[in-house]
């Protein structure tokens, strides 16, 4: 729902769920975010260097980490407190 409101196409949203994008900078952010989740924050120097090599600034890397942390926090709150979902559920493709 949020992606649709932001103007993302169904294909872009599906690709983003799988950590993919045709835009190199977006792909770098998604790769970093995916690594953060898969490794529970313990990413390698190579993960950070790949983000830098793709043109992300230190601030953008920190912002990506912050967004991932905020989303994990939100997820934990929703699960722990059984917060009702007020929008249509979307099946994850990953």
């Amino acid at each position: 729902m949020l992606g649709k409101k932001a103007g993302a196409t169904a294909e872009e949203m599906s690709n983003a769920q799988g950590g993919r994008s045709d835009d190199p900078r977006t792909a770098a952010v998604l790769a970093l975010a995916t690594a953060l989740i898969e490794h529970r924050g313990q990413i390698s120097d190579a993960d950070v260097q790949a983000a830098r090599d793709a043109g992300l600034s230190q601030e953008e890397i920190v912002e990506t980490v912050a967004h991932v942390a905020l989303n994990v926090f939100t997820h934990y709150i929703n699960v722990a407190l059984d917060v009702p979902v007020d929008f249509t559920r979307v099946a994850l493709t990953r």
Side-chain angles (χ1 to χ4, degrees), residues 32 43-53:
L32 182 60
I43 58 174
S44 68
D45 291 342
D47 292 320
V48 176
Q49 190 59 51
R52 287 186 180 125
D53 291 346

Side-chain angles (χ1 to χ4, degrees), residues 11-93:
E11 181 181 6
E12 288 170 330
M13 290 186 290
S14 177
N15 285 341
Q17 264 192 349
R20 300 176 306 275
S21 174
D22 292 333
D23 176 71
R25 291 178 58 77
T26 302
V29 169
L30 290 170
L32 182 60
T34 299
L36 284 161
I37 293 298
E38 288 177 350
H39 302 290
R40 296 184 175 161
Q42 297 181 7
I43 58 174
S44 68
D45 291 342
D47 292 320
V48 176
Q49 190 59 51
R52 287 186 180 125
D53 291 346
L56 297 182
S57 67
Q58 187 66 21
E59 292 81 5
E60 290 168 319
I61 292 169
V62 170
E63 185 176 1
T64 300
V65 174
H67 277 288
V68 169
L70 179 59
N71 277 283
V72 169
F73 173 76
T74 301
H75 173 71
Y76 283 5
I77 292 294
N78 290 339
V79 171
L81 302 179
D82 197 24
V83 175
V85 176
D86 61 353
F87 55 88
T88 306
R89 289 185 184 263
V90 175
L92 296 178
T93 58

